[in-house]
Amino acid sequence: MKKKFTVDKHILIPKHTKLGDKHKEKLLEKYNISITGLPRILKTDPGIKSLGAKPGDIIKITRKSQTSSEAVFYRVVVDV
Amino acid sequence: MDKLISEYEDKLPRKVIDDIRANLPKGINQAKLKKIMDKALGEYENAKVNAGESVGIIAAESIGEPGTQMTLNTFHFAGVAEMNVTLGLPRIIEILDGRKEIKTPIMQIRLKAPYSKGKDIKEFALSIKETKLSEITTEFSISLADSEIEVKLDKEKMKSLNLTNTNVVNSISKQLKGFTIKDNKELIILKSRAKEEALNEVYKAKEKIKDIHIRGVKGISQVLPVKRDDEFIIMTSGSNLSEVLQIDGVDSHRTTTNNIFEIQEVLGVEAARQAIIEEVFNVIENQGLNVDVRHIMLVADTMCVLGMIKGITRYGVVSEKSSVLARASFETPIKHIINAALVGENDTLNSVVENVMLNQPVPIGTGVPKLVTKKK
């Protein structure tokens, strides 16, 4: 009766992708912040389980937005 | 032409670009398109919130003012089965405070075909509902002479739930250790294996077995199949997202709960943020009030920046403020000031409240820019 549930496809979860190193630097430069200035996401978050992200990685989140149909958001992976 | 439009993809939001694409007249030339795009960009930049605008205060006012019009204790009875759902101000306070235990947890379970078409929907719903031993029995009694517990089963109820004696015996033996179980058709007799069982212990065990879980999902206390649009869904009172998502026949991609902490645990912060926005917005809309989603989005974002839900309370987001004075100005000032004095905390006066307290210009709006001189 029990089966594996793939969390990624739930309607509430927006698309999560891991940023490469190049994009990472570009992003921090664009907003003129250090990596600690970004909003955080826990390493154990179900949304990034399949990405295998390590602390210090930046996750790009493409949200469906009511106001602009698509909005991009960034979070940095942290330990607890 | 597409190339020109895609140049603007970084600068304009998706919706604006899609709108322009859909409404362009045929055979428009490059120069005119460029003009349109530049004009759109100009309008968009104009509509943006200025740097240094105090959006938090504006959001607070915009949610707070219509909030005063909400009736304090609104309870809503949905449909015939009178399922009780907390709405109105109590519900908003519950969400924004980030309470772990909410008053009325409910789930909306969406189903896959054929259940979504209404096939066997009652049976399916009942199989999700939590059944405890006390619900399918008529009597618990203790025979003092043998220190045994006799459980009299309700045959009719068991039949309607498709349960047999063996089912029941199996669940009891799994969850209760140290008892021998005899199945006697009408009765189930439990005898303690311990040689000299104090009667006291038997009494305790009798109370314990009433709560033995027989079938269904833990925490789901009521189920109600309803028709929404073209499909059947199951509304439940009580919520257990992680278990329900694993049941065959449940559409695990569209099933939701109103418990945001459960969503955070099972689906992550981003899903929780989305759920906060939807829940708050629905409550406000239900009351016939009109608040822009952007204000609610801002609140939801603040609650979720740390990667987990923090309520807008002195234990939540306020405790994360870096300034001692800002924390002290919210609640329990003496505690914060004493603690700061004990560890010798520094206050860099970067934010608003502390500067107001010290009668200094606040870093908001025109207070943001500073004069910088070159060192010689």
Side-chain angles (χ1 to χ4, degrees):
Chain A
M1 177 140 169
K2 298 224 160 154
K3 59 170 179 179
K4 258 264 174 233
F5 164 65
T6 45
V7 98
D8 309 42
K9 286 178 189 154
H10 197 278
I11 42 162
L12 283 173
I13 304 180
K15 201 173 130 205
H16 291 63
T17 42
K18 206 160 83 176
L19 274 193
D21 285 342
K22 227 197 218 162
H23 290 284
K24 217 162 133 179
E25 273 165 39
K26 243 187 184 170
L27 175 85
L28 295 177
E29 205 174 293
K30 183 182 169 192
Y31 291 108
N32 191 20
I33 45 169
S34 67
I35 203 158
T36 48
L38 282 171
R40 301 178 209 161
I41 189 166
L42 297 188
K43 197 178 71 185
T44 50
D45 197 274
I48 56 167
K49 222 174 218 169
S50 57
L51 297 176
K54 288 182 280 312
D57 285 341
I58 294 180
I59 305 291
K60 178 183 177 185
I61 296 151
T62 318
R63 295 167 173 167
K64 283 206 181 80
S65 156
Q66 280 156 283
T67 50
S68 68
S69 92
E70 210 172 69
V72 184
F73 198 73
Y74 299 93
R75 282 178 190 273
V76 61
V77 180
V78 289
D79 265 324
V80 183
Chain B
M1 208 172 81
D2 271 341
K3 214 177 123 200
L4 188 72
I5 294 181
S6 53
E7 269 174 33
Y8 286 83
E9 240 152 40
D10 282 351
K11 299 172 196 156
L12 281 170
R14 196 49 179 276
K15 199 175 184 181
V16 176
I17 288 182
D18 286 349
D19 277 355
I20 291 176
R21 273 222 177 95
N23 293 314
L24 271 187
K26 263 183 196 163
I28 189 167
N29 63 26
Q30 289 276 356
K32 271 187 181 157
L33 180 63
K34 179 105 175 72
K35 232 179 176 177
I36 292 173
M37 295 310 282
D38 283 339
K39 182 108 182 169
L41 187 63
E43 288 285 331
Y44 173 65
E45 291 296 333
N46 248 338
K48 269 187 177 174
V49 173
N50 293 320
E53 183 80 66
S54 42
V55 281
I57 293 275
I58 296 173
E61 285 173 351
S62 307
I63 299 172
E65 191 272 330
T68 57
Q69 293 167 40
M70 271 193 251
T71 352
L72 262 175
N73 255 311
T74 319
F75 286 106
H76 186 68
F77 297 94
V80 254
E82 291 185 6
M83 211 176 264
N84 208 343
V85 185
T86 317
L87 281 175
L89 205 58
R91 175 71 184 139
I92 291 200
I93 292 172
E94 199 173 76
I95 301 169
L96 299 188
D97 276 2
R99 296 218 183 119
K100 288 223 163 91
E101 299 288 326
I102 59 173
K103 250 192 214 153
T104 50
I106 54 165
M107 288 188 80
Q108 284 185 25
I109 304 177
R110 306 253 172 189
L111 305 166
K112 283 182 186 153
Y115 299 113
S116 61
K117 299 278 182 291
K119 189 186 168 254
D120 297 336
I121 184 108
K122 261 200 175 143
E123 288 74 19
F124 190 76
L126 279 178
S127 77
I128 291 175
K129 189 184 170 214
E130 180 179 21
T131 312
K132 286 179 181 166
L133 188 61
S134 58
E135 285 167 50
I136 52 162
T137 48
T138 46
E139 210 182 322
F140 291 91
S141 52
I142 291 177
S143 105
L144 291 172
D146 317 312
S147 59
E148 286 174 342
I149 308 170
E150 292 171 3
V151 181
K152 204 173 184 188
L153 296 169
D154 187 338
K155 285 283 161 198
E156 265 175 45
K157 262 219 171 127
M158 283 179 62
K159 213 175 172 189
S160 72
L161 286 165
N162 256 330
L163 284 169
T164 59
N165 277 19
T166 15
N167 289 139
V168 179
V169 171
N170 280 343
S171 340
I172 296 176
S173 65
K174 252 185 222 159
Q175 291 168 61
L176 191 74
K177 302 281 179 239
F179 278 82
T180 42
I181 301 156
K182 247 194 288 171
D183 181 9
N184 198 354
K185 284 212 171 149
E186 294 296 317
L187 287 173
I188 288 178
I189 298 166
L190 299 153
K191 191 168 170 58
S192 172
R193 268 194 224 118
K195 285 209 174 114
E196 271 180 48
E197 181 81 25
L199 211 51
N200 205 358
E201 294 296 311
V202 180
Y203 270 109
K204 267 188 199 159
K206 181 193 151 201
E207 290 306 313
K208 214 172 144 196
I209 59 168
K210 281 183 183 171
D211 281 335
I212 279 181
H213 175 82
I214 302 287
R215 203 176 57 175
V217 180
K218 266 185 192 162
I220 307 283
S221 57
Q222 233 183 82
V223 285
L224 176 71
V226 274
K227 198 168 185 187
R228 273 282 160 81
D229 300 326
D230 278 344
E231 61 175 343
F232 281 89
I233 65 171
I234 297 173
M235 306 276 288
T236 69
S237 74
S239 167
N240 191 340
L241 193 62
S242 60
E243 299 260 321
V244 168
L245 288 181
Q246 280 166 6
I247 298 172
D248 262 339
V250 167
D251 187 341
S252 53
H253 300 147
R254 294 187 300 143
T255 294
T256 54
T257 167
N258 71 344
N259 187 343
I260 46 173
F261 273 93
E262 227 172 283
I263 291 183
Q264 180 195 227
E265 224 159 84
V266 182
L267 305 172
V269 247
E270 276 297 319
R273 185 200 89 108
Q274 192 59 37
I276 293 173
I277 295 172
E278 273 169 30
E279 288 285 332
V280 175
F281 192 67
N282 282 343
V283 172
I284 290 173
E285 212 173 40
N286 258 329
Q287 300 267 327
L289 303 171
N290 201 356
V291 174
D292 197 293
V293 247
R294 277 163 264 237
H295 299 307
I296 301 162
M297 281 173 175
L298 182 76
V299 176
D301 270 334
T302 1
M303 286 173 72
C304 296
V305 266
L306 292 171
M308 59 191 112
I309 299 171
K310 293 271 176 191
I312 318 247
T313 60
R314 69 181 115 144
Y315 309 107
V317 286
V318 179
S319 71
E320 301 290 335
K321 288 190 178 181
S322 58
S323 163
V324 195
L325 293 175
R327 264 179 281 136
S329 73
F330 185 66
E331 273 166 16
T332 57
I334 294 170
K335 190 183 102 191
H336 281 119
I337 290 169
I338 289 178
N339 280 343
L342 283 176
V343 296
E345 230 176 291
N346 256 336
D347 197 325
T348 44
L349 305 179
N350 283 327
S351 189
V352 182
V353 199
E354 53 267 37
N355 282 305
V356 171
M357 290 167 95
L358 297 177
N359 198 18
Q360 286 183 16
V362 286
I364 275 180
T366 49
V368 176
K370 298 257 158 45
L371 189 65
V372 181
T373 50
K374 241 186 210 166
K375 269 187 194 166
K376 263 246 161 121

